Each structure stands twice: as C-alpha cells, then as structure tokens.
C-alpha cells in the first residue's frame, strides 16, 4: 500500500518533510528514494511470480510515470506556502526574543495575543540586560489588573545567536537591543528562515545598509516577513492629522515648502531619565555610545522620517531616487558622572565611553540631530533632542505641522497642552471664517464615522480637535497595536509593497543624513 502525508519534524515549522509509507516503510527522500523503491517493487513482483499480471505491471508503471513527471519545483513551492502559512490560529506564532537590551522588547509583551503562544524563548548573553527584561515581564505577569501569562524559556551564553539559529524553537524573532548588532541579527534570522519583528532602527551605520537590503531581498525570496516597530503611526493626533490632510475642502493641497520653511516638520524632545511600566528605567551603558545605540539622527529620527512618508504619501511606494537629503547636523547632550550613575546604576564609565569624555569627566552623548530632505519635491524637516531629565511636572514634548494651501494642521504637546498631544486646525489668513467653520464641522462629522466622539472648540488661531480620552492610549500601548498589525500581515502572508519599499527608503534617508552630518564643521 502506498500513502503520503505532510509531517513536520520541527515543532514550529522550521522545516517540513514529506513522509511516504510503502507497506509500512518510511522514506524521507520522496523524489529519489521512492521512485527507486517503486521500480524495485515492480521487478521484485515480476521475479516472484515469474511474470507480473499485465494489469498489475501497467498500473505500477503508469503510477511511476505520473509520479516522476511531477515538477519538484511545484512541490517545493506548495511546501513553502504550507510552511510559511499563518491563519490566525491560537498560539500559532512562536516568539523568540533575541538579546533584549532595550525595554521595547518587553513592551511587545505588555499584553497577551490569542495568536501568540504564551511560551516565549529568550536567547541572550548573560548580564543585567536580560535580567531587567525578565523583571519587566514578571511585573506584567503579576500586576493586579489584566495580568499576562507569559512563560519565559531562557538560554544565556556567549553563543546565544548560534543557539537560536540552530534550535529555532519559534517562527518569529523579536529584537530590541544593542543596535550595533541588529542588522546582523536581522540578516541571520531571515537567512535561517525566521520571520522578524524588529525595533527601530534596523541599521545605524551606512556600511551596514547593503546587508539590510539583502535581508529584505532574502525575506521576499523565502516568503518571510521583516517589519520594524513604528509606534508613532498609532498616536491618535497623528492619525487625525493624516486623515484631515486628505480632505481637500479643508486642507487644500500640501505645499512644497522650502529648506527654511518646510511643508511638514516633526520635532520631539526626549529624556534619558524616565519611567517605564511605572518604574524608573535603568538604561544599559552602551545606550550612550553612538557606535552601539546609534546617533540621534539615525535612532528616534527613524520614527519622524517614517511619519513624513506615511502622512504625505499614504500607501504609496517611495523609491530612493525620489528623495534627497538637503542638510543634516548633530550635536551632543552633556551628562555628569552623577547623572550617568543615576540612569545606569554604574559608578564609573566603561572604557568604550572614554572617547566621549570632556573636562571634569563630563560625557558628550551625540543624541541630538536634525535633517531636511525632499520627497517628490516636498520639503520635510525632522528634529530630535535629548535632555537628561524633564523639569518637575514636565514630560516629553512633540511638535508637528503640515502646511496646506487652505489650512495648517498642527500637533502640540507641551506645557499648555498638559503634555498631551493636541491637534489644531489653523485656516489660512485668506479663508473666510464662516466658510472655514462650516468646512471644519463637515470634516469632524466625517471623522466621527471612524472615531466617534470627536468635536471642536475655538483656539487662538483656529480650532482645537477635541479627542476623547479613550483614544489617548499612550506610547506603551502602541507596541501592542504594532504587533497586532504585524500578526495580521502574517495571516495575509505578505507585507504591502509600499511598506517594504518605504522601510528601505526611510533607512536610506537616515544613513545619508548621518553621512552628511559627519561633514558638519560644528560636529
């Protein structure tokens, strides 16, 4: 009797085999061994009976002909589709966390997902970083309200990467940590047949960019999904700014702008000392080394460049030839030894930070930067600033403006807004006030179909869009929203073309900006 079924020798779908049974005998090389065994059976039958019955002979001969004529490439493609397929089943995604040196790795697990197995495999070098990661996961598991149920299976050792690639107990790798190694991690995982969800940035050195390009090429060839975590797309004011910019009656057309007065600007201020999950954040010392964390112009700037492409050219693939970096610069924030100890827990600097030390053992951290670039002729500006600690009662701030021919769309997050992102519509001076009021009312009505509860109230230069608190979910919750989107892409089996193209273009922009900033005479 001849039978066949698709079995999986690896628990998580790393490699599948056709197992064929011929009268109870198992064969694992179907396109070679099986053919040979069928031919052997034909001639054995002829030998045992003197001559095979004509029907029996031609039946077996016909079967052999059909089997041999099957295309191996077709079979392999069908196997690949089966192996890489996700359908949303419970626990079908097996997560592996690699070298979790940044707290973003834990924020992906702040909530549970039906599609993700609660068992998570962690591969990391020994040290405080993995312990801090596990500590946050334990906090999530033991919190009074909506606790998670993660089970962490941890391997620690110098061969953590090789161990993960060899064993592959999961089918998705999550990576957020030392950025100096991240591009290598991504490429190695894709090369080994593992899907990747990566924290930004995917690359921090221009010399590593070709490796990232190769990783995306391999991902396409292997049917894998490589995606970075762009949390800021899920901030409600940014979403509404994008929505309103698409309403011609309100916004008009996006201006082209100039280098001095860009059409769209994104500026943010951050702080080294902060709280995560209600606890003071302990940062690893390499966070302050731009060769490991990346300069500010290639790190947080990634989010802001992404938003410019995402808002101005929604779901449009942007090629690298369609963008140009006009200017770029970077500068440092100075930290004292006491401040360094406060945020890292270390009483002295590691050797690799000595090159950034100035008089009185002050540490220069090149975390600040700005750049101006064009996309299809539209000028955009990105600016990122890091201070050590926010003033009492203050938090991170953000400013964004999209300039249209009929109105500007402005996001402010500062003291006047109680550090809550707030969206304003500011009509152009030549727009009739009564007409503008009617148009904004119509726009709010349209938005309420998707985001119920929105309203407007007068502001100094126009109107404030009043957004219910339920939409202000906070930065940490955005990690779940990004992960949900990634899980949906896994079910769909591919990323949209614009997502892939614009990831590469985004990192092309930050790499070119970094190169240009090194030529700044003030650097």
């Amino acid at each position: 009797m001849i039978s066949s079924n698709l079995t999986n020798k690896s628990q998580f779908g790393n490699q599948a085999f056709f197992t064929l049974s011929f009268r109870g005998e198992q064969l694992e090389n179907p396109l070679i061994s099986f053919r040979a065994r069928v031919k052997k059976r034909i001639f054995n039958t002829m030998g045992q009976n003197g001559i095979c019955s004509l029907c029996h002979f031609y039946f077996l001969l016909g079967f052999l002909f059909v089997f041999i004529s099957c295309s191996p490439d077709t079979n392999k493609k069908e196997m690949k589709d089966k192996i890489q397929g996700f359908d949303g089943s419970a626990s079908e995604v097996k997560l592996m966390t690699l070298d979790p040196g940044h707290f973003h790795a834990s924020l992906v697990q702040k909530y549970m997902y039906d599609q993700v197995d609660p068992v998570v495999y962690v591969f990391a070098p020994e040290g405080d970083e993995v312990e801090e990661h596990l500590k946050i996961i334990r906090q999530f598991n033991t919190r009074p309200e909506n606790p998670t149920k993660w089970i962490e299976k941890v391997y620690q050792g110098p061969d953590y990467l090789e161990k993960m690639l060899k064993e592959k107990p999961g089918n998705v790798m999550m990576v957020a940590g030392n950025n100096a190694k991240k591009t290598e991690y991504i490429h190695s995982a894709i090369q080994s047949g593992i899907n990747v969800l990566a924290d930004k940035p995917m690359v921090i050195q221009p010399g590593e960019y070709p490796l990232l390009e190769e990783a995306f090429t391999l991902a396409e060839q292997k049917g894998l999904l490589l995606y970075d975590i762009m949390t800021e797309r899920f901030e409600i004011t940014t979403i509404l700014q994008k929505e309103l910019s698409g309403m011609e009656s309100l916004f008009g057309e996006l201006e082209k702008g100039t280098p001095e007065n860009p059409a769209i600007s994104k500026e943010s201020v951050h702080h080294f000392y902060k709280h995560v999950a209600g606890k003071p954040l302990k940062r690893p010392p390499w966070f302050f080394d731009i060769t490991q964390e990346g300069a500010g112009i290639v790190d947080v700037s990634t989010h802001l460049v992404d938003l410019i492409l995402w808002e101005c050219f929604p779901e449009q693939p942007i090629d690298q030839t369609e963008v140009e970096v006009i200017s770029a610069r970077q500068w440092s924030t100075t930290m004292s030894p006491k401040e360094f100890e406060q945020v890292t827990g270390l009483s002295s600097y590691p050797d690799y930070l000595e090159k950034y030390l100035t008089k009185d053992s002050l540490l220069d951290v090149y975390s600040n930067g700005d750049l101006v670039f064009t996309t299809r002729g539209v000028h955009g500006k990105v600016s990122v600033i890091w201070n050590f600690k926010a003033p009492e009662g203050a938090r991170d701030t953000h400013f964004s403006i999209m300039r249209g021919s009929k109105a500007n769309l402005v996001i402010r997050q500062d003291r006047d807004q109680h550090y809550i992102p707030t969206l304003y519509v500011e009509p152009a001076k030549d727009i009739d006030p009564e007409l503008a009021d009617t148009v904004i009312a119509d726009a709010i009505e349209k938005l309420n179909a998707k985001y119920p509860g929105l309203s407007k109230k007068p502001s100094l230069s126009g109107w404030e869009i009043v957004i219910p608190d339920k939409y202000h979910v906070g930065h940490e919750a955005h990690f779940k929203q990004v992960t949900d989107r990634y899980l949906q892409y896994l079910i769909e089996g591919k990323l949209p073309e614009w997502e892939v193209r614009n990831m590469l273009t985004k990192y092309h922009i930050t790499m070119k900006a970094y190169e240009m900033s090194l030529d700044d005479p003030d650097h």
Side-chain angles (χ1 to χ4, degrees), residues 99-102 129 175-183 185 204 286 291-293:
D99 193 9
H102 196 287
E129 293 169 25
V175 59
N178 192 312
N179 294 323
K181 306 172 185 177
K182 191 179 290 178
T183 312
Y185 288 163
I204 63 171
W286 55 256
T291 66
Q292 299 185 68
E293 171 63 18

Side-chain angles (χ1 to χ4, degrees), residues 233-250:
R233 293 184 188 178
F234 294 88
E235 160 53 43
I236 185 62
T237 53
T238 300
I239 292 172
L240 296 178
Q241 186 183 49
K242 178 186 178 187
E243 294 268 7
L244 290 173
S245 71
M247 299 182 182
E248 195 278 334
S249 60
L250 175 102

Side-chain angles (χ1 to χ4, degrees), residues 1-5 18-28 30 34 37:
M1 178 180 292
I2 301 170
S3 64
S4 69
N5 67 303
F18 277 112
T19 302
L20 300 172
S21 174
F22 192 96
R23 289 190 177 178
E25 298 180 45
Q26 298 261 323
L27 303 171
E28 291 183 356
F34 182 75
R37 193 63 66 86

Side-chain angles (χ1 to χ4, degrees), residues 57-73:
F57 176 82
Y58 280 113
F59 171 79
L60 290 174
L61 187 63
F63 178 83
L64 179 64
F65 174 80
V66 171
F67 188 84
I68 294 175
S69 65
C70 290
S71 167
D73 292 337

Side-chain angles (χ1 to χ4, degrees), residues 26-43:
Q26 298 261 323
L27 303 171
E28 291 183 356
N29 197 337
L31 299 180
I32 300 175
S33 301
F34 182 75
R35 297 169 187 167
R37 193 63 66 86
V38 171
K39 287 192 281 187
K40 179 179 179 181
R41 177 60 64 186
I42 292 173
F43 291 110

Side-chain angles (χ1 to χ4, degrees), residues 96-306:
M96 300 180 296
T97 302
L98 182 68
D99 193 9
H102 196 287
F103 71 94
H104 286 176
S106 58
L107 291 181
V108 169
Q109 295 177 242
K110 187 171 183 179
Y111 303 95
M112 302 296 292
Y113 312 83
D114 291 340
Q115 196 178 341
V116 179
D117 195 300
V119 177
V120 177
Y121 297 88
V122 180
F123 295 87
E126 295 181 356
D128 292 342
E129 293 169 25
V130 66
E131 295 303 327
E132 287 293 320
H133 170 74
L134 297 173
K135 180 180 178 181
I136 296 176
I137 301 299
R138 285 193 293 270
Q139 291 174 9
F140 295 157
N141 280 347
T142 57
R143 66 190 174 207
E145 185 177 348
N146 191 25
T148 54
K149 300 178 181 179
W150 300 111
I151 301 170
E152 305 290 300
K153 302 288 187 180
V154 181
Y155 174 82
Q156 297 185 58
D159 60 339
Y160 60 93
L161 175 60
E162 293 77 11
K163 189 80 169 177
M164 184 196 74
L165 298 177
K166 180 180 179 181
E167 295 189 356
K168 289 196 286 189
N171 47 27
V172 172
M173 180 189 79
M174 195 283 140
V175 59
N178 192 312
N179 294 323
K181 306 172 185 177
K182 191 179 290 178
T183 312
E184 176 194 349
Y185 288 163
I186 291 170
H187 187 273
S188 297
I190 293 295
Q191 199 169 41
S192 297
I194 302 168
N195 298 283
V196 176
L197 177 62
D199 190 31
K200 60 79 194 156
M202 285 183 168
V203 61
I204 63 171
Q205 295 292 340
E208 294 289 302
Y209 182 76
L211 190 64
L212 181 63
E213 288 184 302
E214 186 176 314
F216 274 101
T217 300
L218 285 172
E220 182 179 8
Q221 293 171 352
K222 292 174 175 284
L224 299 168
L225 269 63
L226 169 55
Y227 196 54
D228 62 355
I229 298 177
M230 292 289 102
T231 51
E232 298 310 303
R233 293 184 188 178
F234 294 88
E235 160 53 43
I236 185 62
T237 53
T238 300
I239 292 172
L240 296 178
Q241 186 183 49
K242 178 186 178 187
E243 294 268 7
L244 290 173
S245 71
M247 299 182 182
E248 195 278 334
S249 60
L250 175 102
F251 183 68
E253 294 184 0
L254 179 66
E255 297 188 3
K256 295 293 186 180
T258 65
E260 296 75 26
N261 190 22
I264 179 168
S265 296
K266 301 280 184 182
E267 303 172 7
S268 62
V269 178
H270 305 264
H271 300 90
F272 294 136
Y273 183 89
K274 65 188 301 183
H275 286 72
V276 173
K279 305 287 184 179
L281 177 64
K282 181 180 178 182
R283 294 190 186 273
W286 55 256
F287 182 83
F288 304 99
D289 179 7
I290 62 173
T291 66
Q292 299 185 68
E293 171 63 18
I297 205 167
V298 303
D299 185 17
V300 177
S301 295
T302 305
H303 279 303
L304 307 184
V305 172
D306 178 79

